[in-house]
Amino acid sequence: MRNTRALSPIFELSAPGRRGATLPASDVPYAALDDILPADARAHALPDLPEVAEPDVVRHYTCISQLNMSVDTHFYPLGSCTMKYNPKRNERLASLPGLLDLHPYQSETSHQGMLQLLFELQQMLAEIAGLHVVSLQPAAGAHGELAALMTAAAYFRDRGENRTKVLAPDSAHGTNPASAAVAGFDAVTVRSTPEGYVDLDDLKSKLDDQFAVFMITNPSTLGMFEKNIRPIADMVHAAGGLLYLDGANMNAILGISRPGDFGADMMHYNPHKTFSGPHGGGGPGAGPIAVREMLGPYLPAPLVAFDGVRYRLDYDRPKSIGRVRSFFGNVGVLVRAYCYIRTYGAKGLREVSENAVLNANYLLSKVKHIFPVPQGERCMHEFVATASKIKAERGVSAMDIAKRLLDYGFHAPTVYFPSTVKESMMMEPTETESKETLDAFANALFRITEESPDLLHEAPHSTGVSRPDEVKAARQPQTSWPKA
Amino acid sequence: MSYLFNTPEDQRAMLESIGVGSIDELFAQLVPDEARLHRELEIPPAMSELELTAQMQSLAAKNTACSSRPCFLGGGAYDHFIPAAVDALASRGEFFTSYTPYQPEVSQGNLTVTFEYQTFITRLTGMDVANASLYDGATAATEAALMCLEATGRRGRVVVAGSVHPEYRQTLQTYLACLGVELVTVGALDGTVSAAEVAAACNDQTACVLVQQPNFFGCLEDVEAIGMAAHEAGAMFVVSVDPISLGILKKPSEYGADIVTAEGQSLGNPLHYGGPYLGIIACKSEFVRRMPGRIAGQTVDRRGKRCWVLTLQTREQHIRREKATSNICTNQGLFALRATIYLSLLGPHGLRETAELCARKSHYARSLLSTGTRFSSAFAAPTFKEFVVRDNAGAVEQLLADAEQEGYFAGIALGRWYPELADCFLVCVTEKRTRAEIEGLASVLTSSPAGLTAELANHHA
């Protein structure tokens, strides 16, 4: 079955006179356009868009969708991204007109149900975090980091403390130091030990009176629970700073360990990971933040408040940092998170993490015989294997292996991140995969190691395109289709 | 649980392979006891799909959907028509359960869409380069201002029109405060800002001037003059637009914009109580290396076949960390997809007609709401699809609440952002509103008893 139109962008399908949508004629009394919008403000020509019929549009986007791997179609063990199953019920329920067709400025009396949902979500996220106050406003994990760091800055400012440094481990997501910079802090890197834990001596040396926040990802991007998390929290607090938890890996600890209990003062969630909001080809996500009581007044406003009778948007927060975006938040993602948490309940959420960790350790037990896993025998929800041995011996890189996996019908793991492990392959199976799938994946990895390096260097062989020239794309950027 | 696979037998076999006796033992080896939660989470118990459906339906039933009554609410979130094909295509699992195209070989669908989306945005705005999208209109405008700080090396001041969406300005304020940059707001007492006042607000440390076209009040700004004023002051010119308006209004490139941003929700995306939405940003090519977020580019594969990849990634946080152009990691892929499908379906004529219908219908509504004695147009400037009505009885809150009782979402009270406009409200009329609905709105508002005891003459004679 060949998909011949697949690689033509829609512009190549355009023919003058075709159209994919028609609109009703104007039903209001006629007025000359010049009397409505001045001629010098109006466009001289029609907008430059392709002219295509509706069936063209449907076939085009259906065909190109089939060029994607996705969770619905493939095992997608992309480490640090938690590519778990996205429940269909959540899609249907988030699309109920009473939830979908709500305007952000309609009266509070006309959307008490939505406010109730968001209020309950605030409470459930606070409970799962072991923290006290939640803002649902940030639009993504990185946006949550930023909003939380701004919140921390306001907190210190209010206390009359001038603290300028934000620390993050070398294995942290790039968003951590980038968020610190945007929030006006100086980003400082803390070393990790070879096992992937925070280097306590290095941390200690950086906890001076300029130190504001230590951003830690726990479990870490290496899939390890920080064994020194309590002492770290104590050190941070003794230095007068705050501990920030990057919640990227919450999928490993739901109902098992709570950031607030192990000393975190603030954190963000990635509901599109942990609570199954679909990743949508790169977004939207959401980035709710939970904080300890003393930081609550500084959170972005509004929060949802409840007086026992009515729900309302609470804007009366004089110490708030203000807004970090328009409107309430990425509500579509939050509604799905609400559905997910209510579906599983307390026991179920714990089972999610238990099975996520079980699956990851099972896969680790299979993979470690094929590729070394420097961190050792155990992991949380993900682990990082290395191809450095096969690279040295046979010239086969992590990239070669990733590309060849595509031929076997598996999405590749995350490769070359974190950079603290050479030739790294970060694998996160999630809880929504079967033992059979994990066996098949490990089997594919093993077979790949027995294949000829030449075959692997040119992989993938079965996909429509193979090894795009990224250097050319960056040297001569062509970021839009040329005009006719 | 429906989404989990592991049976007790599976778990036993897996634990054996791992070499531990139980899941508890596994966690005991991993998580220090002092960090463990030794109780169950206090959240409600599990629900079956049937129970969850009932729960969500009961929450939904406590809301009044805009789709169930005539909706004249706008203010940055708009009730435009969404063709069925947008929903049908965007709900394909291949799109919405995929992720960032880290492996371009198995992401050509998403990459093609991103490339098409970028093309549409550059063509609508007249800019050279668009990125793969940002969070929303507010953060897009803010990121544009941050780009200008870097591009000009002027880190002292940003000048913004008071007629820019209040929540965009608040967002901008939050970000700029962290960087110690001053935000100067130019008043828009007549509904628009004057180029002379913009010029007066600029100093030699002003990075950019930001205006909205049409502005928050629906009014058309004199963008040509404002752009010239910005450039004469050595500042960049950033314009936030309504993408639907570009079906009929001039492209921002024609009046000198350096960076164009927009809220893309209008382009085929549901209201969803304010998000997720679609942040659009596009710029002249000289600023591309300061652009935040993902960008797709065309290239060829090892066999010479045309294809698409993420490109210019050395701007981004995963490579540059604290030196990146922004902390942004993701984009709004699903909503950029919806916008792309929407624009493909509408085409040049459909977008023009949509824009024209908005303009004609809102013009009619504006004329109906400025004929009697009670209501008048707050501002004289021409408007696109929104306009500000002054209630000469000064009873806006009660008026709007009464209209809601009568089955109309009639408009947005402006007093919360503009105390001087406490007697005004913003009305939006999209292509979806019919003549009967518009006349119904006028009739309901005109016959409202709200405020009629007030002294009409005291207000704005």
Side-chain angles (χ1 to χ4, degrees):
Chain A
M1 186 178 70
R2 285 180 66 82
N3 187 339
T4 52
R5 297 176 70 171
L7 283 177
S8 294
I10 192 119
F11 313 100
E12 290 186 341
L13 308 178
S14 178
R18 289 186 187 148
R19 58 186 300 168
T22 49
L23 289 141
S26 173
D27 60 353
V28 296
Y30 179 80
L33 216 44
D34 282 347
D35 293 338
I36 302 174
L37 294 166
D40 65 356
R42 298 207 309 270
H44 307 298
L46 284 169
D48 185 7
L49 295 169
E51 297 180 64
V52 287
E54 180 172 328
D56 261 341
V57 173
V58 170
R59 188 168 294 162
H60 173 68
Y61 289 103
T62 303
C63 286
I64 63 172
S65 79
Q66 292 166 345
L67 303 176
N68 286 342
M69 275 190 176
S70 66
V71 175
D72 274 4
T73 54
H74 294 85
F75 180 44
Y76 212 124
L78 191 66
S80 132
C81 297
T82 315
M83 301 299 290
K84 64 167 72 177
Y85 173 67
N86 306 130
K88 299 300 174 192
R89 70 190 66 166
N90 299 358
E91 296 307 308
R92 177 197 273 181
L93 297 173
S95 299
L96 291 172
L99 299 173
L100 187 70
D101 298 337
L102 298 183
H103 192 282
Y105 293 143
Q106 68 183 75
S107 63
E108 284 177 8
T109 50
S110 70
H111 66 283
Q112 284 290 304
M114 176 58 86
L115 292 174
Q116 181 186 339
L117 183 158
L118 297 169
F119 181 79
E120 289 176 8
L121 184 62
Q122 284 175 184
Q123 292 196 305
M124 295 191 294
L125 294 180
E127 165 66 8
I128 295 168
L131 290 166
H132 309 111
V133 196
V134 171
S135 164
L136 300 173
Q137 192 175 105
H143 203 216
E145 292 173 15
L146 176 62
L149 291 175
M150 289 172 166
T151 299
Y155 166 76
F156 286 122
R157 205 163 38 242
D158 201 30
R159 289 163 59 92
E161 296 180 50
N162 181 29
R163 294 176 176 262
T164 55
K165 281 195 226 164
V166 166
L167 277 44
D170 48 14
S171 62
H173 289 116
T175 52
N176 286 185
S179 297
V182 178
F185 288 104
D186 299 322
V188 178
T189 303
V190 176
R191 274 197 303 273
S192 304
T193 66
E195 302 79 38
Y197 298 112
V198 172
D199 183 327
L200 295 185
D201 291 333
D202 194 47
L203 174 64
K204 199 167 197 174
S205 72
K206 288 165 180 162
L207 297 180
D208 54 22
D209 59 358
Q210 295 295 296
F211 156 68
V213 180
F214 180 39
M215 302 178 82
I216 190 167
T217 309
N218 187 32
S220 70
T221 49
L222 286 158
M224 297 307 289
F225 194 94
E226 176 58 60
K227 60 183 179 185
N228 297 313
I229 189 67
R230 279 272 20 152
I232 288 170
D234 292 343
M235 285 163 66
V236 163
H237 293 146
L242 297 171
L243 186 64
Y244 181 86
L245 187 279
D246 180 328
N249 300 328
M250 283 300 286
N251 208 44
I253 57 170
L254 298 170
I256 288 165
S257 179
R258 302 196 307 169
D261 295 344
F262 62 64
D265 302 296
M266 49 205 323
M267 67 168 289
H268 78 263
Y269 285 96
N270 298 90
H272 47 290
K273 298 180 184 177
T274 313
F275 303 126
S276 81
H279 281 68
I289 49 181
V291 300
R292 220 173 271 291
E293 196 78 59
M294 81 270 191
L295 295 162
Y298 308 93
L299 284 174
L303 309 184
V304 184
F306 181 51
D307 63 10
V309 181
R310 303 204 62 79
Y311 298 89
R312 65 183 175 82
L313 293 173
D314 178 13
Y315 285 96
D316 184 19
R317 306 184 67 82
K319 291 187 171 181
S320 165
I321 58 166
R323 288 194 159 273
V324 292
R325 55 162 297 160
S326 59
F327 311 122
F328 184 82
N330 277 2
V331 175
V333 181
L334 301 172
V335 170
R336 287 166 176 83
Y338 179 89
C339 289
Y340 184 85
I341 296 171
R342 294 302 307 264
T343 297
Y344 273 109
K347 275 200 182 67
L349 286 182
R350 191 186 162 97
E351 280 173 42
V352 164
S353 289
E354 287 176 349
N355 283 285
V357 171
L358 180 67
N359 277 3
N361 278 280
Y362 178 67
L363 187 60
L364 189 159
S365 76
K366 296 276 168 186
V367 167
K368 69 182 181 189
H369 307 298
I370 311 166
F371 298 105
V373 179
Q375 73 205 45
E377 297 276 310
R378 298 283 178 267
C379 65
M380 294 296 284
H381 63 298
E382 68 186 1
F383 62 91
V384 180
T386 171
S388 51
K389 189 156 164 275
I390 193 170
K391 170 92 175 172
E393 290 170 4
R394 301 175 58 210
V396 173
S397 67
M399 185 62 80
D400 293 336
I401 294 157
K403 296 295 184 196
R404 184 60 177 153
L405 275 169
L406 308 178
D407 285 330
Y408 281 84
F410 297 110
H411 196 281
T414 299
V415 289
Y416 301 105
F417 177 81
S419 57
T420 49
V421 176
K422 294 254 181 299
E423 296 294 323
S424 64
M425 297 183 290
M426 185 200 266
M427 303 183 191
E428 180 180 11
T430 83
E431 72 283 2
T432 60
E433 297 295 340
S434 67
K435 179 172 173 293
E436 293 89 324
T437 298
L438 304 182
D439 287 338
F441 178 73
N443 199 30
L445 280 175
F446 179 70
R447 285 171 60 188
I448 289 169
T449 61
E450 299 202 314
E451 292 181 322
S452 95
D454 288 343
L455 180 86
L456 299 178
H457 294 327
E458 296 203 330
H461 300 274
S462 63
T463 49
V465 302
S466 178
R467 306 252 179 168
D469 186 344
E470 296 190 2
V471 175
K472 174 183 157 66
R475 281 218 183 117
Q476 306 149 6
Q478 188 191 332
T479 59
S480 59
W481 190 250
K483 288 189 177 128
Chain B
M1 182 52 63
S2 325
Y3 318 142
L4 299 177
F5 285 88
N6 296 335
T7 63
E9 289 71 38
D10 289 333
Q11 291 189 341
R12 259 194 299 280
M14 294 164 85
L15 289 165
E16 194 173 316
S17 175
I18 298 165
V20 289
S22 68
I23 290 178
D24 269 348
E25 193 185 324
L26 181 59
F27 275 97
Q29 292 178 6
L30 288 161
V31 182
D33 190 62
E34 58 187 2
R36 294 284 297 269
L37 178 69
H38 295 288
R39 64 164 173 85
E40 203 167 87
L41 288 172
E42 287 174 12
I43 57 176
M47 281 181 161
S48 66
E49 182 170 356
L50 193 57
E51 291 165 307
L52 180 71
T53 301
Q55 165 72 7
M56 298 307 284
Q57 282 171 339
S58 93
L59 288 170
K62 295 178 194 169
N63 302 322
T64 307
C66 287
S67 48
S68 69
R69 51 173 56 195
C71 175
F72 292 90
L73 305 177
Y78 299 106
D79 181 29
H80 286 289
F81 180 67
I82 302 176
V86 175
D87 289 328
L89 293 167
S91 63
R92 289 188 66 88
E94 296 94 327
F95 282 128
F96 85 76
T97 73
S98 60
Y99 196 34
T100 304
Y102 293 122
Q103 297 293 337
E105 288 91 341
V106 291
S107 310
Q108 284 300 306
N110 287 334
L111 285 160
T112 308
V113 170
T114 303
F115 184 77
E116 291 175 351
Y117 164 82
Q118 290 170 186
T119 304
F120 285 172
I121 299 305
T122 54
R123 289 185 181 187
L124 288 178
T125 58
M127 293 288 104
D128 301 315
V129 192
N131 83 354
S133 70
L134 298 170
Y135 305 137
D136 70 348
T139 53
T142 302
E143 291 285 341
L146 300 183
M147 279 174 76
C148 296
L149 297 177
E150 292 297 321
T152 59
R154 294 169 157 206
R155 308 190 59 89
R157 180 179 288 191
V158 166
V159 171
V160 64
S163 49
V164 168
H165 194 302
E167 295 190 355
Y168 295 14
R169 288 186 284 117
Q170 289 165 359
T171 303
L172 194 56
Q173 174 64 43
T174 305
Y175 277 68
L176 293 182
C178 293
L179 302 175
V181 177
E182 182 188 13
L183 182 65
V184 173
T185 305
V186 178
L189 293 179
D190 300 328
T192 57
V193 292
S194 92
E197 286 183 36
V198 166
C202 291
N203 64 9
D204 65 357
Q205 280 306 304
T206 300
C208 65
V209 170
L210 170 64
V211 299
Q212 193 173 357
Q213 176 78 337
N215 69 23
F216 181 67
F217 305 126
C219 299
L220 298 189
E221 299 275 5
D222 187 357
V223 275
E224 222 143 319
I226 298 167
M228 278 169 60
H231 288 150
E232 270 168 30
M236 287 168 67
F237 184 39
V238 182
V239 185
S240 173
V241 296
D242 172 354
I244 296 288
S245 76
L246 298 178
I248 196 163
L249 296 181
K250 270 185 180 166
K251 292 178 191 159
S253 59
E254 294 176 70
Y255 49 81
D258 296 300
I259 305 177
V260 179
T261 65
E263 172 53 70
Q265 177 268 333
S266 289
L267 304 175
N269 293 304
L271 283 167
H272 230 327
Y273 194 55
Y277 283 178
L278 175 68
I280 293 173
I281 188 165
C283 68
K284 291 183 178 167
S285 55
E286 61 206 89
F287 305 116
V288 62
R289 287 182 196 270
R290 308 209 182 265
M291 180 83 100
R294 295 170 176 156
I295 300 176
Q298 186 168 311
T299 186
V300 293
D301 78 348
R302 69 178 168 83
R303 291 171 284 211
K305 191 170 175 183
R306 182 176 70 194
C307 60
W308 291 276
V309 292
L310 290 182
T311 193
L312 302 171
Q313 295 190 65
T314 49
R315 301 165 296 112
E316 292 186 68
Q317 48 74 28
H318 62 283
I319 298 184
R320 296 270 288 166
R321 300 180 77 86
E322 69 273 14
K323 295 190 178 64
T325 52
S326 144
N327 72 323
I328 284 179
C329 171
T330 49
N331 64 327
Q332 305 284 293
L334 193 62
F335 293 81
L337 167 71
R338 294 181 66 99
T340 307
I341 297 169
Y342 176 85
L343 288 170
S344 299
L345 286 166
L346 261 68
H349 297 281
L351 187 62
R352 164 59 63 86
E353 287 163 16
T354 299
E356 212 175 299
L357 283 169
C358 290
R360 288 189 180 286
K361 290 179 181 230
S362 69
H363 182 74
Y364 179 56
R366 184 177 168 181
S367 67
L368 288 186
L369 286 171
S370 51
T371 42
T373 52
R374 169 143 193 190
F375 299 111
S376 56
S377 265
F379 306 122
T383 52
F384 170 56
K385 72 184 182 196
E386 287 169 282
F387 55 93
V388 176
V389 179
R390 174 162 281 133
D391 175 15
N392 293 318
V396 168
E397 300 285 348
Q398 191 56 47
L399 178 76
L400 297 178
D402 287 354
E404 195 176 309
Q405 288 294 314
E406 297 291 323
Y408 287 82
F409 282 127
I412 302 168
L414 293 178
R416 69 165 120 165
W417 298 297
Y418 299 93
E420 70 279 16
L421 299 178
D423 55 351
C424 292
F425 59 101
L426 183 67
V427 176
C428 174
V429 187
T430 69
E431 79 284 4
K432 282 175 75 173
R433 300 286 72 85
T434 63
R435 178 174 182 171
E437 289 171 344
I438 294 167
E439 290 172 353
L441 173 76
S443 151
V444 160
L445 291 179
T446 313
S447 60
S448 168
L452 279 191
T453 53
E455 294 281 328
L456 288 186
N458 286 348
H459 283 271
H460 308 283

